Amino acid sequence: MTKSTDSLPREYAVDPGAHRNSPQPLQVALRLWGFDEREVRSWIDDLPSLDGTLNWSIARERAADGAAVVVHVVKPSPRAQDAFCWNCVGANRAMVCALEGTRPEIVLFAGDAAQLPRRRAGVWSVAGDMPAYAALQALAYMIGASAGKGANGQFGMRRDLLAVIAQRLDA
């Protein structure tokens, strides 16, 4: 014999409209600098969603509309004669613009710290010897730790906290 849910105590009752009130996941857009989109697209399904907190996508344009946070994923691109990184130039310029914006943006540099430009805008994390995919997975947990529910019940980012913990990835 089954018992009707009408007679269950209130704390056990299931609200049929609860899914409508659940918070939307935090939209994380990846901007690629030197990485092949097909390669990164193969990573997305395996990136941590942290129980639905994060939703990953690839941003093809600067605006990255709908994204709550943007991760610029930079592949080192040194020229033959020196360690200058052309991909860093684009990412650094994007970070200068990001400092004027309202959403947090971070750079994940998939290389050695010695290849970084001396002057950098914003928050940069260095993967060092970690493969870019593994570093992005680690960064996902940092983004999740920086996310929290606002007064409206939706996820948002604590930019200051993200800046502090992103440095932990640095090699």
Side-chain angles (χ1 to χ4, degrees):
M1 178 167 146
T2 58
K3 198 171 191 180
S4 166
T5 57
D6 293 337
S7 62
L8 289 174
R10 186 169 182 78
E11 63 268 19
Y12 297 109
V14 176
D15 177 7
H19 67 282
R20 288 187 297 250
N21 297 328
S22 62
Q24 296 295 316
L26 191 71
Q27 301 297 322
V28 182
L30 303 175
R31 287 233 22 233
L32 309 180
W33 301 92
F35 278 95
D36 181 68
E37 183 177 330
R38 289 174 295 184
E39 177 185 13
V40 176
R41 188 161 300 286
S42 71
W43 303 344
I44 287 184
D45 289 338
D46 293 328
L47 289 174
S49 70
L50 307 180
D51 294 326
T53 303
L54 305 178
N55 186 39
W56 299 89
S57 65
I58 295 177
R60 293 189 179 95
E61 55 205 47
R62 170 73 191 117
D65 291 330
V69 63
V70 175
V71 178
H72 300 267
V73 186
V74 179
K75 186 178 206 173
S77 61
R79 294 186 306 195
Q81 284 84 13
D82 59 21
F84 183 78
C85 177
W86 283 104
N87 289 334
C88 288
V89 173
N92 202 39
R93 176 79 176 118
M95 291 303 288
V96 168
C97 295
L99 293 175
E100 300 166 2
T102 58
R103 73 171 167 225
E105 298 193 22
I106 185 171
V107 176
L108 173 60
F109 183 72
D112 186 80
Q115 297 171 297
L116 287 171
R118 281 182 242 209
R119 291 187 172 167
R120 297 181 301 278
V123 178
W124 289 60
S125 283
V126 179
D129 292 336
M130 290 175 74
Y133 170 72
L136 194 54
Q137 284 189 327
L139 189 59
Y141 289 98
M142 295 175 197
I143 291 170
S146 303
K149 291 182 187 175
N152 62 359
Q154 298 302 311
F155 288 111
M157 292 293 301
R158 289 209 36 209
R159 189 184 303 239
D160 57 338
L161 185 56
L162 180 61
V164 170
I165 64 176
Q167 294 173 10
R168 304 265 314 149
L169 186 61
D170 289 353

